């Protein structure tokens, strides 16, 4: 009723009247000023130093750690490395012994490559034949438009590097140990994890009875995060899923490609060539649709993963061509994807932060999370060091970690999810990207690569230099598909009668 009254009032205003113009100008000025003041206050709070707290470094008991990091994957080990390098006492726990397997797409994007260079890891992996830069690559759109190019000369560096997690996780965990973190392998955290508010200390016990105590607890134990769930900070299971299999005896000459069949949008399949010549083949199913919180992954659900993975190898017209007539495929393995912070309302609490896949630091558009995990791990270390200097680990202090990662990459998740929904509902948008890439070549391919790898924000698609060519490409695609009826990404009916193509 009040809104209706306000609309009636505004509709009856005479904006030609001088007084009305003055009042309207004043109102707009007041709203603008209020916005700027609010923005200034928020920025001031984010940049304000952490006030001195009750737990200075000098009061830390000798048998305790500044930080206990549960999970020695990319986020946990990067956090441990930078903490230990700065002089903090770190316990880095992992339930497995290194090297160990991890189901992943193995694509290490540019921001992560920069961190690995800073840590002194990437050059060693390349020299040992365990990492391969992806210089040539591309994608196939839902309508079958394809482009393979080389964007290195446009970007000045590779947009991604293929590293098997067996090698990557081992390298970063051992590098954290070299920096001074105490790496505790086969330390499986049990149910006995408690916090003493008076002493400001966490006590973490393993299933075997081993005990560590520390000032800060960092949950970096993966997308399922049993620890964050047990502590009540993770409210829902991870909804996205992905597969992975290594392929030998294939036909692929380029370094990597993504395939976007419309029946699995916004999910997609991807292949990356590794340094040993094998292909890493993955299928990502990403949450989208009105029931995404109930397991909707576009037109499919997690139960379809195995079928889609196997069909891609056998009958998908593009993926099967890359595989060749007699590929040697390893057994498919699957993993969970917690994208865009799904199920984790906040990534901080008293003396605690959550980082990496456990925090949902996975891009909702691409399903990639190694680069965001590493960026989050470094931000976590920087945040903890500031808390350590101040002796303040309250929720007000740990909240600054969330503000920092949101500012660096988390703000982009909103647009990633929005674009994922758009592609799911209107596949022709992805065809327009392919259409313009075919027309402009590597120049436009580099734009897509930068946005997809978090080098530039998703909002770059709204820049006139990008949006205008895409608009014309969309018109061309509408004509090509709706008028000329041209598409060439179809598959036959599968055995159970479900159509995966038209």
């Amino acid at each position: 009723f009040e809104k209706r009254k306000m609309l009636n009032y505004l509709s009856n205003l005479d904006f030609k009247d001088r007084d009305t113009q003055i009042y309207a100008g004043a109102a707009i000025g007041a709203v603008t000023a209020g916005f700027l003041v609010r923005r200034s206050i928020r920025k001031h709070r984010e940049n304000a130093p952490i006030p001195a707290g009750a737990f200075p470094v000098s009061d830390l008991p000798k048998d305790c750690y500044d930080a206990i990091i549960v999970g020695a994957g990319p986020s946990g080990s990067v956090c441990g490395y930078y903490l230990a390098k700065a002089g903090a006492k770190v316990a880095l726990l992992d339930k497995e012994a290194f090297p160990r397997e991890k189901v992943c797409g193995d694509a290490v994007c540019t921001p992560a490559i920069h961190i690995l260079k800073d840590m002194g890891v990437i050059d060693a992996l390349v020299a040992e034949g365990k990492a391969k830069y992806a210089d040539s690559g591309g994608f196939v759109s839902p309508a079958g438009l394809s482009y393979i190019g080389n964007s290195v000369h446009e970007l000045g560096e590779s947009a991604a590097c293929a590293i098997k997690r067996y090698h990557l996780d081992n390298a970063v965990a051992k590098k954290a140990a070299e920096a001074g973190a105490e790496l505790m392998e086969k330390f499986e955290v049990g149910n006995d994890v408690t916090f003493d508010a008076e002493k400001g200390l966490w006590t973490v016990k393993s299933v075997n009875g081993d005990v560590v105590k520390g000032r800060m607890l960092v949950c970096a134990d993966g997308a399922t995060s049993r620890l964050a769930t047990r502590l009540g900070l993770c409210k829902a299971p991870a909804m996205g899923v992905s597969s992975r299999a290594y392929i030998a005896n294939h036909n692929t000459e380029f370094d990597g490609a993504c395939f976007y069949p419309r029946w699995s949008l916004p999910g997609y399949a991807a292949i990356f060539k590794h340094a040993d010549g094998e292909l890493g083949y993955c299928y990502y199913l990403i949450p989208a649709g009105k029931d995404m919180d109930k397991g909707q992954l576009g037109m499919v659900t997690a139960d379809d993963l195995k079928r889609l993975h196997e069909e891609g190898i056998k009958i998908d017209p593009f993926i099967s061509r890359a595989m060749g007539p007699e590929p040697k495929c390893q057994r498919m393995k699957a993993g969970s994807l917690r994208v865009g912070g799904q199920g984790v309302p906040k990534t901080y609490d008293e003396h605690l932060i959550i980082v990496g896949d456990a925090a949902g630091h996975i891009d909702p558009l691409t399903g990639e999370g190694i680069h965001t995990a590493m960026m989050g791990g470094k931000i976590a270390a920087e945040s903890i060091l500031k808390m350590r200097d101040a002796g303040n680990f309250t929720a007000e202090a740990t909240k600054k970690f969330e503000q920092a990662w949101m500012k660096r990459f988390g703000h982009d998740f909103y647009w990633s999810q929005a674009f994922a929904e758009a592609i799911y509902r209107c596949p022709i948008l992805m065809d327009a990207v392919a259409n313009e890439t075919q027309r402009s070549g590597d120049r436009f391919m580099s734009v897509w690569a930068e946005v997809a790898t978090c080098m530039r924000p998703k909002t770059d698609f709204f820049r006139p230099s990008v949006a205008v060519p895409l608009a014309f490409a969309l018109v061309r695609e509408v004509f090509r598909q709706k008028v000329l009826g041209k598409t060439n990404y179809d598959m036959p009916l599968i055995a159970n009668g479900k159509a995966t193509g038209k």
Side-chain angles (χ1 to χ4, degrees):
F1 177 74
E2 292 297 329
K3 287 182 178 179
R4 190 159 57 247
K5 283 177 63 179
M6 178 60 72
L7 288 173
N8 288 334
Y9 172 75
L10 291 173
S11 65
N12 291 325
L13 286 176
D14 181 8
F15 285 96
K16 293 182 179 179
D17 180 70
R18 176 67 175 171
D19 290 342
T20 301
Q21 293 174 352
I22 292 173
Y23 293 143
I28 294 172
V31 171
T32 303
F35 171 78
L36 293 174
V37 168
R38 182 181 177 186
R39 183 178 179 182
S40 178
I41 291 173
R42 183 171 68 245
K43 188 174 182 180
H44 173 74
R45 287 175 177 172
E46 291 176 357
N47 296 331
I50 298 174
F55 303 104
V57 177
S58 57
D59 287 357
L60 183 71
K62 290 184 178 180
D63 61 342
C64 296
Y65 297 87
D66 290 301
I68 301 171
I69 303 173
V70 179
S75 62
S77 291
V78 167
C79 180
Y81 170 82
Y82 284 103
L83 281 173
K85 186 179 179 182
K89 191 177 179 183
V90 180
L92 182 58
L93 319 179
D94 200 279
K95 65 180 180 179
E96 305 288 348
F98 288 93
R100 51 109 165 103
E101 270 289 342
K102 173 69 170 67
V103 177
C104 181
D106 300 333
V108 180
C109 300
T110 308
I113 293 174
H114 293 167
I115 291 174
L116 291 174
K117 284 184 178 179
D118 187 55
M119 293 175 66
V121 170
I122 189 71
D123 291 339
L125 288 173
V126 171
E128 294 167 7
K130 297 175 180 177
K132 176 177 174 56
Y133 286 106
D135 294 336
S136 61
F139 64 98
V140 180
S141 80
L145 296 178
S146 62
Y147 181 84
I148 298 294
N150 189 321
S151 58
V152 174
H153 60 276
E154 293 284 345
L155 299 174
E157 59 185 334
S158 298
C161 183
I163 312 174
K164 293 181 178 180
R165 289 289 296 274
Y166 183 85
H167 301 308
L168 176 65
D169 289 21
N170 180 60
V172 291
K174 296 301 171 63
K175 183 60 71 169
E178 287 179 22
E182 189 170 345
L183 178 60
M184 302 181 187
E185 301 173 76
K186 293 188 177 181
F187 192 112
E188 184 176 355
V189 175
N191 295 322
D192 197 352
V193 178
T194 57
F195 178 64
D196 187 326
E198 184 178 348
K199 295 181 180 178
L201 291 172
W202 285 94
T203 299
V204 178
K205 292 184 180 180
S206 74
V207 294
N208 296 323
D210 298 319
V211 179
V212 291
K213 295 183 179 183
R215 191 70 78 198
M216 274 291 297
L217 181 64
V218 180
C219 300
D221 53 337
T224 57
S225 192
R226 288 186 295 173
L227 181 56
T229 301
R230 192 178 306 130
L231 295 173
L233 294 168
C234 181
K235 309 292 186 180
M239 292 299 178
V241 291
S242 66
S243 67
R244 190 213 66 205
Y246 293 125
I247 314 289
N249 195 38
H250 54 80
N251 260 4
T252 304
E253 296 181 358
F254 49 84
D255 295 325
C258 297
F259 306 84
Y260 293 89
R262 61 184 177 278
W263 43 88
S264 56
L265 291 173
Y268 65 99
I271 57 176
F272 277 94
K273 187 184 291 184
H274 284 282
D276 60 6
E278 287 187 332
L279 286 184
Y281 166 56
C282 310
Y283 219 116
Y284 298 85
L285 297 183
I286 297 171
K290 64 180 182 179
D291 292 324
M292 58 183 287
D293 59 334
K294 299 178 182 177
Q296 182 182 359
L297 307 172
M299 294 173 60
V300 296
T301 67
D303 293 336
D304 295 300
L305 179 64
K306 187 174 188 294
R307 171 178 64 82
L308 290 168
H309 177 98
E310 293 176 351
E311 287 178 10
I313 298 173
K314 297 175 182 177
I315 59 176
D316 183 286
F318 293 95
I319 300 173
S320 61
R321 189 185 309 162
M323 297 296 176
E326 296 180 356
K328 295 181 180 179
C329 309
Q330 291 186 3
R331 183 176 61 87
M332 184 197 95
K333 295 182 179 180
S336 299
L337 296 175
R338 185 181 298 280
V339 305
Q342 174 257 319
V344 186
K346 64 177 185 177
T347 57
Y348 66 93
D349 206 338
E350 302 279 340
H351 292 248
L352 178 147
I353 58 176
I354 312 173
V355 67
D357 288 7
H361 287 173
I362 296 178
D363 192 305
L365 179 61
T366 66
E368 296 292 348
I370 295 177
H371 61 300
T372 42
M374 289 190 173
M375 286 190 288
K378 187 174 182 180
I379 291 168
E382 293 166 350
S383 300
I384 292 171
L385 290 171
K386 291 177 182 178
M387 297 178 221
R388 178 175 179 263
D389 290 341
N392 186 344
F393 303 89
T394 61
E396 290 76 13
T398 55
K399 184 178 181 179
K400 287 185 176 293
F401 160 69
E402 183 166 288
Q403 293 170 339
W405 71 258
M406 280 293 294
K407 184 177 181 180
R408 176 62 182 88
F409 60 83
H411 68 279
D412 213 33
F413 288 165
Y414 170 84
W415 288 108
S416 288
Q417 187 63 55
F419 285 140
E421 290 285 345
I423 291 170
Y424 157 55
R425 299 180 189 281
C426 302
I428 199 169
L429 294 174
M430 195 68 201
D431 297 323
V433 173
N435 185 301
E436 180 58 25
T437 304
Q438 287 185 340
R439 190 186 73 85
S440 301
D442 291 343
R443 180 183 61 80
F444 202 81
M445 184 68 197
S446 67
V447 173
W448 174 258
E450 286 184 302
V451 171
T453 59
C454 208
M455 294 164 67
R456 300 186 68 88
K458 304 297 185 296
T459 50
D460 261 30
F461 280 124
F462 297 128
R463 287 189 296 120
S465 61
V466 178
V468 172
L470 276 180
F472 282 108
L474 181 59
V475 172
R476 293 194 298 270
E477 273 306 297
V478 170
F479 181 80
R480 193 180 75 90
Q481 294 184 34
K482 305 303 181 183
V483 178
L484 301 180
K486 292 185 177 180
T487 62
N488 59 344
Y489 204 147
D490 297 301
M491 295 203 315
L493 296 178
I494 58 176
N496 63 8
K498 288 185 180 179
T500 54
K502 286 184 177 179

